[in-house]
Amino acid sequence: MKVIIVGGVAAGMSAAAKIKRLDKTAEVIVYEQGEHISYGACGLPYFVGGFNDDCTKLIARSKNEFEKMGIIVKLQHEVLSIKVEDKKVLVHNHKSSETIIESYDKLMVATGAHVVKPDIKGINRDEICYLKTLEDGVKLEEVAKQTDIQNVVVVGGGYIGIEVVDALLHLGKHVTCVEFSANILTSFDIEISEFAKEALIAAGVKLHLTERVEEFRDAPKGCMVVTDKGSYQADLVIMAVGIKPNTQFLENTGMLMAENGAIVVDRQMRTSIPNIYSAGDCAQVYHRGMKENVYLPLGTVANKCGRIAGENILGAHKSFVGALGSAGIKVCNLEFGRTGLGEADAKKLGLNYKTVIVESYDHPKYYPNATVIKIKLVYETGTKKLLGAQAAGEKGAVLRVDMFAIAIHNGMTTDELGMTDLIYAPPFAGVWDAVHIACNLAK
């Protein structure tokens, strides 16, 4: 069997490795448009911020390692189109400028996503950078560490934007963050994300919400970021206003896609076209809580679904159990985690639900350095089945959300989790852990 995989980062290389482990005779060719494969893009802000001084540490497995497995890896090769009737792809080699046609038996699309580049006057200025690929990270790290780069404007208050803000604070920069929405980190409920906003302001970040960037102009130094409410001098600008699936090359295939351009797949990672599979940031994924496909561009989801796609390409019929949108982020000295449905999700789905918000401690106050953890639960009225959980605190918040993720995945109620036998030892947790306390206050 000849398998072509388009895209060689998370989902694509997970599929390639799985195929080769299961069938050493399979011919697997990976075409990756970039210069690197199999790297942890989620680690890029921390490389930029100096938490890690070597970008190669982000690479999970090198090209040579994959080739030793028998996988053919072609870097800087872009698949321009797919002719589904003939089961062929048109591939352009950016190094040699040659274009070839390659046939396949099975095909996997794992092309990920690209950053949104808004139609704003002056958007092509040299001061403006993005952060999505390893190449982006290397470029931004080189620029950001320069001593004459002091005033930095980050446009966008989502995960990437706020992680970049945190990285720049670590470098000692003066940071301004401009966000069009009324709050940052909008996948969190406001009772939790408010902590992040307060932490950033306390750290000296100039946070401008409900503000839209309209133009980038010349300035005596760097550029001027002009919004509908003001203007800010910037030596460097990082745009982080969202991503869009890399699926433009599929437009003439007739493949079923969502409104945002993400590929629609079933729970076996099959697209609407026979013999073509997809996973990662270019595709939708089944959400266990919402009971429908959603767009969740997360590394955890990409790796799991890529592995399943690899098995199914070889004839298995594995189905993805479903994601919960579990995600975490560090903001200054605080950590934030969320899983399952937020309150807005529950409202949108028309669920009969309740919420509870609790402040507790990561361990008993009689043991040194106890810190507050704030937890919000969303649960079903009557049954008290857990639907979602979010938490924030200096330490211990994110891994406690993992407990809630396991509970939600298995359909547990607040009563059941509230009596689960968790570890008690004063350096780590109280006899009633913060998880217990939150669950037992759900009425």
Side-chain angles (χ1 to χ4, degrees):
M1 179 185 289
K2 183 177 180 181
V3 181
I4 288 180
I5 296 176
V6 189
V9 185
M13 298 319 294
S14 291
K18 190 65 177 177
I19 291 168
K20 268 300 186 181
R21 281 195 294 268
L22 294 175
D23 183 0
K24 296 189 185 304
T25 67
E27 181 183 1
V28 181
I29 305 173
V30 177
Y31 290 114
E32 166 54 44
Q33 185 175 349
E35 299 174 15
H36 306 276
I37 59 167
S38 191
Y39 59 86
C42 296
L44 290 172
Y46 307 104
F47 168 64
V48 170
F51 296 94
N52 160 27
D53 61 358
D54 182 0
C55 69
T56 63
K57 292 179 180 177
L58 300 177
I59 298 173
R61 193 177 294 174
S62 69
K63 179 177 183 286
N64 287 340
E65 288 176 292
F66 282 109
E67 288 178 337
K68 285 179 181 178
M69 296 175 65
I71 298 168
I72 301 168
V73 179
K74 301 286 188 179
L75 299 178
Q76 293 179 268
H77 281 64
E78 180 182 1
V79 173
L80 301 177
S81 62
I82 301 171
K83 194 168 184 180
V84 296
E85 301 86 357
D86 300 330
K87 296 172 74 173
K88 291 180 179 178
V89 295
L90 183 67
V91 186
H92 181 70
N93 182 339
H94 286 282
K95 290 182 285 187
S96 68
S97 296
E98 294 178 314
T99 300
I100 63 169
I101 295 173
E102 189 82 65
S103 63
Y104 64 86
D105 295 314
K106 298 286 181 70
L107 178 74
M108 179 177 175
V109 180
T111 45
H114 61 272
V115 292
V116 172
K117 191 174 181 179
D119 184 17
I120 299 173
K121 187 176 180 180
I123 192 70
N124 293 318
R125 296 184 65 98
D126 291 340
E127 297 91 350
I128 300 173
C129 290
Y130 301 84
L131 188 60
K132 183 68 175 73
T133 66
L134 187 54
E135 293 89 341
D136 293 336
V138 170
K139 176 184 175 181
L140 182 55
E141 187 268 347
E142 188 64 34
V143 173
K145 70 182 181 183
Q146 297 174 14
T147 56
D148 62 333
I149 302 294
Q150 288 298 315
N151 297 316
V152 185
V153 173
V154 177
V155 183
Y159 284 109
I160 300 298
I162 298 304
E163 285 175 341
V164 169
V165 168
D166 187 66
L168 294 167
L169 289 174
H170 192 251
L171 294 175
K173 308 298 182 182
H174 304 297
V175 186
T176 298
C177 181
V178 179
E179 166 57 43
F180 180 69
S181 300
N183 210 348
I184 59 171
L185 300 175
T186 54
S187 65
F188 288 84
D189 289 353
I190 191 167
E191 297 94 340
I192 302 297
S193 63
E194 192 73 18
F195 272 15
K197 187 169 78 171
E198 292 170 0
L200 291 173
I201 293 171
V205 176
K206 295 175 182 177
L207 202 55
H208 297 273
L209 303 177
T210 61
E211 198 159 340
R212 181 177 58 252
V213 175
E214 296 185 335
E215 186 181 354
F216 298 101
R217 294 179 185 165
D218 289 336
K221 183 175 183 289
C223 72
M224 195 66 69
V225 182
V226 181
T227 75
D228 56 348
K229 294 182 179 178
S231 59
Y232 316 103
Q233 188 275 328
D235 303 319
L236 172 66
V237 177
I238 294 102
M239 295 294 296
V241 295
I243 61 173
K244 186 173 176 59
N246 287 324
T247 56
Q248 307 92 315
F249 72 105
L250 300 169
E251 287 177 356
N252 295 324
T253 63
M255 187 178 292
L256 184 62
M257 297 188 193
E259 188 176 344
N260 72 334
I263 299 167
V264 176
V265 294
D266 64 13
R267 292 173 69 177
Q268 294 186 24
M269 306 302 122
R270 297 176 298 193
T271 71
S272 60
I273 297 176
N275 301 307
I276 301 181
Y277 296 72
S278 184
D281 291 1
C282 62
Q284 289 190 324
V285 69
Y286 180 72
H287 193 291
R288 195 175 178 88
M290 294 185 180
K291 305 290 191 288
E292 63 183 10
N293 272 13
V294 299
Y295 186 57
L296 274 180
L298 297 170
T300 49
V301 172
N303 278 279
K304 293 184 182 79
C305 292
R307 178 174 174 166
I308 290 171
E311 292 187 70
N312 292 341
I313 282 171
L314 291 179
H317 294 281
K318 297 287 182 69
S319 292
F320 182 49
V321 294
L324 289 173
S326 303
I329 186 172
K330 170 188 171 296
V331 183
C332 300
N333 67 327
L334 297 177
E335 55 183 65
F336 297 78
R338 54 102 54 223
T339 188
L341 305 182
E343 189 168 358
D345 298 323
K347 284 180 181 176
K348 182 180 177 181
L349 292 169
L351 301 180
N352 192 7
Y353 73 93
K354 290 183 178 180
T355 66
V356 64
I357 300 173
V358 174
E359 287 193 6
S360 186
Y361 290 88
D362 68 307
H363 62 253
K365 287 191 286 183
Y366 59 74
Y367 187 87
N369 303 317
T371 58
V372 172
I373 297 177
K374 187 171 186 177
I375 297 174
K376 178 177 180 178
L377 302 183
V378 180
Y379 57 98
E380 196 171 64
T381 303
T383 67
K384 296 201 279 188
K385 178 182 175 181
L386 273 165
L387 301 173
Q390 302 178 23
E394 287 185 39
K395 58 183 189 294
V398 164
L399 291 182
R400 280 176 169 83
V401 172
D402 273 342
M403 293 193 218
F404 289 116
I406 294 168
I408 295 167
H409 183 96
N410 288 286
M412 293 176 68
T413 66
T414 56
D415 288 344
E416 289 170 332
L417 184 55
M419 294 300 288
T420 298
D421 189 13
L422 303 179
I423 290 172
Y424 159 56
F428 312 113
V431 63
W432 292 104
D433 185 76
V435 170
H436 288 136
I437 292 169
C439 287
N440 292 334
L441 285 174
K443 305 298 182 186

